[in-house]
Structures are given as structure tokens and as C-alpha cells.
């Protein structure tokens, strides 16, 4: 089942918005003209990532400063779990997620 999150026309570099799907917080971002969908929760201690800072392809958690690659989801620091990234789906002029 496709769940639409946003219209494609609204996705510009720097876009960042949170959504709630089936009780789970999601963060949709556009980085280097590429949409990325991830769980809006740091795998370290659960802090929301929507307020994190972006340095190139790296998202830094606002609570403890842990850094994650948005390409792979992997943490820059050793021993920290990876981000939960989701595959995006497209339907017509909308971007979303298949459940």
C-alpha cells in the first residue's frame, strides 16, 4: 500500500519535514538533490534527528553530535548502530513509502 508523503514539486535541496506513518516518526530530507527517508530517531539514544545539522552527506544528531552517512546509514563513529533508512516509492506526482 502506497502512503504519499509529499508532492515531487515541493522537493528542493534543503527540504526537511517529519511525518508519522503507522505510529513511526519519519524524516524526509533532500540532500544534494536526492530525497532521503529515515526514521526520525537517533539509533544511539532515540533523539529526534529533524533538528540535526547537515554537513554534506553527513547528518549530525542534535543531542550528542553523533554523525551518520545519509548514503549508507552507517555511523561515522565505530560501535554506534546505523540509521534506519527507508526505500522511497513514487506514484504520479507524489513521493512516499510502500507499506
Amino acid at each position: 500500500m502506497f502512503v504519499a508523503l509529499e508532492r515531487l514539486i515541493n522537493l528542493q535541496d534543503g527540504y526537511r519535514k517529519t511525518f508519522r506513518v503507522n505510529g513511526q516518526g519519519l524524516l524526509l530530507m533532500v540532500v544534494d538533490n536526492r530525497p532521503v527517508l529515515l526514521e526520525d530517531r537517533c539509533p544511539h539514544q532515540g533523539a529526534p534527528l529533524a533538528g540535526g545539522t547537515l554537513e554534506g552527506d553527513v547528518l549530525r544528531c542534535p543531542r550528542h553530535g553523533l554523525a551518520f552517512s545519509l548514503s549508507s546509514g552507517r555511523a561515522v563513529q565505530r560501535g554506534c548502530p546505523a540509521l534506519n533508512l527507508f526505500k522511497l516509492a513514487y506514484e504520479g506526482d507524489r513521493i512516499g513509502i510502500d507499506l
Side-chain angles (χ1 to χ4, degrees), residues 55-70:
E55 301 161 5
D57 181 54
V58 175
L59 179 64
R60 192 169 293 281
C61 175
R63 185 174 291 165
H64 293 111
L66 295 175
F68 301 90
S69 164
L70 291 177

Side-chain angles (χ1 to χ4, degrees), residues 36-49:
V36 178
L37 183 64
L38 57 129
E39 186 175 8
D40 185 27
R41 182 181 170 285
C42 179
H44 174 238
Q45 289 189 351
L49 292 170

Side-chain angles (χ1 to χ4, degrees), residues 22-43:
N22 285 350
Q24 184 173 34
L26 301 176
L27 174 59
L28 178 61
M29 303 176 70
V30 177
V31 181
D32 292 329
N33 294 311
R34 180 179 59 92
V36 178
L37 183 64
L38 57 129
E39 186 175 8
D40 185 27
R41 182 181 170 285
C42 179

Side-chain angles (χ1 to χ4, degrees), residues 3-15:
V3 176
L5 299 176
E6 184 63 88
R7 294 183 62 208
L8 292 172
I9 196 167
N10 295 330
L11 298 182
Q12 307 295 326
D13 222 22
Y15 175 96

Side-chain angles (χ1 to χ4, degrees), residues 47-98:
L49 292 170
T53 57
L54 195 58
E55 301 161 5
D57 181 54
V58 175
L59 179 64
R60 192 169 293 281
C61 175
R63 185 174 291 165
H64 293 111
L66 295 175
F68 301 90
S69 164
L70 291 177
S71 296
S72 67
R74 288 190 218 122
V76 174
Q77 298 82 1
R78 289 182 158 218
C80 186
L83 289 176
N84 192 9
L85 298 175
F86 296 91
K87 183 177 180 190
L88 286 160
Y90 298 86
E91 190 172 292
D93 70 340
R94 306 230 178 231
I95 190 169
I97 186 171
D98 279 327

